[in-house]
Amino acid sequence: MTITYEYEGALYVNLTNKCNCSCEFCLRHGKAQGSIYTQDSLWLEREPTRQEALDSFLGRDVCSYREIVFCGYGEPTYRLDDILWLVDRLKERFGEKLPPVRINTNGHANLILGRDVCPKLKGRIDTLSISLNANNAADYTALCHPVQGERAYQAMLDFAREAKAYVPHVVMTVVDKDKTPEELEESRRIAQSLGVQLRVRSYIDS
Ligand code: SF4
């Protein structure tokens, strides 16, 4: 079972397969052969305990990485309480030497967990990378298929706006596939209105 793995100098952490979305472009669909996300080993046969995850960290030279990234296979904030516990343990152990911590998320933590988790991110998470994906709720729902339906879009925007108060770097991302320059500009405007940056990601096709 792969809990932590290296990628481009960063240490990636995989705690869950669960996700409330089913994005058309999700690498979990196995469309990107050769991608690290399509390796069978990243599909967890069961979720690791927080102690197993901590042991996986401590088996590595944690401070040698440029960043620690909680990400997929699934949506990591299903395990947010465990992520925060892990960050606290790592900070206790490594203090200022601990590399910056990022979560790659669909921005649905408050929706999934049914409570406002943003204040808990303060002092623990350095960067949030939130998938914006679309410029309105209808397009978002058609692309990402959240089980909560169209309200998931506004929940994601609200999460980004609020998280900005607690997390130093909040970035929203869009995938460039099938997007016009005007649509990308509109995404940029939305991100700006929330007080966060936009990053345009390349689509990895098969
Ligand atoms: S939110 Fe992320 S993990 Fe979930 S389906 Fe979309 S791309 Fe895949």
Side-chain angles (χ1 to χ4, degrees), residues 77 107-118 155 158-159 162:
T77 61
H108 294 164
N110 290 349
L111 193 62
I112 291 168
L113 301 173
R115 56 192 158 92
D116 180 10
V117 300
C118 292
D158 293 344
F159 179 77
E162 192 196 345

Tab-separated table of all heavy atoms in Angstrom, residues 77 107-118 155 158-159 162:
chain	number	residue	atom	x	y	z
A	77	THR	N	-9.716	15.799	1.764
A	77	THR	CA	-10.346	16.379	2.949
A	77	THR	C	-11.383	15.463	3.599
A	77	THR	O	-11.876	15.772	4.674
A	77	THR	CB	-10.964	17.764	2.650
A	77	THR	OG1	-11.973	17.635	1.638
A	77	THR	CG2	-9.894	18.743	2.201
A	107	GLY	N	-12.292	21.543	-2.839
A	107	GLY	CA	-12.889	22.669	-2.121
A	107	GLY	C	-14.211	22.347	-1.445
A	107	GLY	O	-14.944	23.246	-1.037
A	108	HIS	N	-14.507	21.064	-1.291
A	108	HIS	CA	-15.801	20.672	-0.731
A	108	HIS	C	-15.706	20.212	0.719
A	108	HIS	O	-16.623	19.561	1.218
A	108	HIS	CB	-16.419	19.555	-1.585
A	108	HIS	CG	-16.785	19.988	-2.963
A	108	HIS	ND1	-17.053	19.111	-3.983
A	108	HIS	CD2	-16.923	21.217	-3.504
A	108	HIS	CE1	-17.331	19.781	-5.088
A	108	HIS	NE2	-17.258	21.056	-4.821
A	109	ALA	N	-14.624	20.547	1.387
A	109	ALA	CA	-14.436	20.045	2.755
A	109	ALA	C	-15.617	20.380	3.659
A	109	ALA	O	-16.138	19.504	4.371
A	109	ALA	CB	-13.140	20.608	3.346
A	110	ASN	N	-16.059	21.631	3.639
A	110	ASN	CA	-17.168	22.018	4.527
A	110	ASN	C	-18.459	21.298	4.154
A	110	ASN	O	-19.259	20.942	5.022
A	110	ASN	CB	-17.377	23.533	4.483
A	110	ASN	CG	-16.233	24.285	5.151
A	110	ASN	OD1	-15.400	23.686	5.821
A	110	ASN	ND2	-16.191	25.587	4.951
A	111	LEU	N	-18.626	21.087	2.854
A	111	LEU	CA	-19.816	20.390	2.356
A	111	LEU	C	-19.772	18.915	2.764
A	111	LEU	O	-20.762	18.345	3.242
A	111	LEU	CB	-19.827	20.510	0.831
A	111	LEU	CG	-21.069	20.158	0.054
A	111	LEU	CD1	-22.222	21.078	0.447
A	111	LEU	CD2	-20.798	20.281	-1.444
A	112	ILE	N	-18.629	18.306	2.599
A	112	ILE	CA	-18.473	16.875	2.891
A	112	ILE	C	-18.592	16.612	4.401
A	112	ILE	O	-19.262	15.680	4.833
A	112	ILE	CB	-17.096	16.370	2.392
A	112	ILE	CG1	-17.046	16.361	0.857
A	112	ILE	CG2	-16.779	14.987	2.946
A	112	ILE	CD1	-15.638	16.164	0.304
A	113	LEU	N	-17.925	17.471	5.187
A	113	LEU	CA	-17.832	17.214	6.623
A	113	LEU	C	-18.977	17.846	7.415
A	113	LEU	O	-19.149	17.551	8.599
A	113	LEU	CB	-16.473	17.697	7.154
A	113	LEU	CG	-15.259	17.022	6.488
A	113	LEU	CD1	-13.958	17.681	6.934
A	113	LEU	CD2	-15.224	15.517	6.782
A	114	GLY	N	-19.724	18.751	6.760
A	114	GLY	CA	-20.873	19.348	7.432
A	114	GLY	C	-20.505	20.312	8.538
A	114	GLY	O	-21.285	20.517	9.477
A	115	ARG	N	-19.326	20.914	8.466
A	115	ARG	CA	-18.899	21.918	9.453
A	115	ARG	C	-17.843	22.792	8.817
A	115	ARG	O	-17.267	22.422	7.792
A	115	ARG	CB	-18.358	21.252	10.724
A	115	ARG	CG	-17.221	20.291	10.486
A	115	ARG	CD	-16.931	19.437	11.735
A	115	ARG	NE	-16.247	18.216	11.372
A	115	ARG	CZ	-14.927	18.069	11.335
A	115	ARG	NH1	-14.153	19.084	11.666
A	115	ARG	NH2	-14.373	16.923	10.983
A	116	ASP	N	-17.612	23.951	9.448
A	116	ASP	CA	-16.636	24.890	8.909
A	116	ASP	C	-15.236	24.522	9.424
A	116	ASP	O	-14.931	24.704	10.598
A	116	ASP	CB	-16.995	26.308	9.360
A	116	ASP	CG	-16.011	27.325	8.832
A	116	ASP	OD1	-15.178	26.969	7.973
A	116	ASP	OD2	-16.069	28.474	9.290
A	117	VAL	N	-14.423	24.021	8.515
A	117	VAL	CA	-13.087	23.558	8.920
A	117	VAL	C	-12.006	24.617	8.675
A	117	VAL	O	-10.871	24.441	9.102
A	117	VAL	CB	-12.684	22.264	8.175
A	117	VAL	CG1	-13.683	21.157	8.475
A	117	VAL	CG2	-12.579	22.484	6.671
A	118	CYS	N	-12.359	25.712	8.012
A	118	CYS	CA	-11.316	26.673	7.606
A	118	CYS	C	-10.449	27.170	8.757
A	118	CYS	O	-9.214	27.220	8.611
A	118	CYS	CB	-11.940	27.845	6.851
A	118	CYS	SG	-12.608	27.368	5.245
A	155	ALA	N	-20.435	26.142	-2.832
A	155	ALA	CA	-19.728	25.700	-1.623
A	155	ALA	C	-18.219	25.780	-1.831
A	155	ALA	O	-17.468	26.162	-0.924
A	155	ALA	CB	-20.151	24.269	-1.267
A	158	ASP	N	-17.210	29.502	-1.772
A	158	ASP	CA	-17.252	29.999	-0.389
A	158	ASP	C	-16.054	29.494	0.402
A	158	ASP	O	-15.468	30.223	1.212
A	158	ASP	CB	-18.545	29.543	0.305
A	158	ASP	CG	-19.800	30.198	-0.291
A	158	ASP	OD1	-19.649	31.207	-1.006
A	158	ASP	OD2	-20.903	29.679	-0.039
A	159	PHE	N	-15.704	28.247	0.162
A	159	PHE	CA	-14.555	27.653	0.862
A	159	PHE	C	-13.274	28.407	0.502
A	159	PHE	O	-12.467	28.749	1.375
A	159	PHE	CB	-14.435	26.182	0.477
A	159	PHE	CG	-13.278	25.468	1.122
A	159	PHE	CD1	-13.337	25.067	2.449
A	159	PHE	CD2	-12.124	25.183	0.391
A	159	PHE	CE1	-12.266	24.414	3.043
A	159	PHE	CE2	-11.049	24.534	0.974
A	159	PHE	CZ	-11.122	24.143	2.315
A	162	GLU	N	-13.238	31.901	2.154
A	162	GLU	CA	-13.021	31.870	3.603
A	162	GLU	C	-11.619	31.381	3.954
A	162	GLU	O	-10.973	31.902	4.862
A	162	GLU	CB	-14.069	30.985	4.281
A	162	GLU	CG	-14.040	31.185	5.791
A	162	GLU	CD	-14.737	30.109	6.593
A	162	GLU	OE1	-15.510	29.327	6.010
A	162	GLU	OE2	-14.463	30.051	7.803
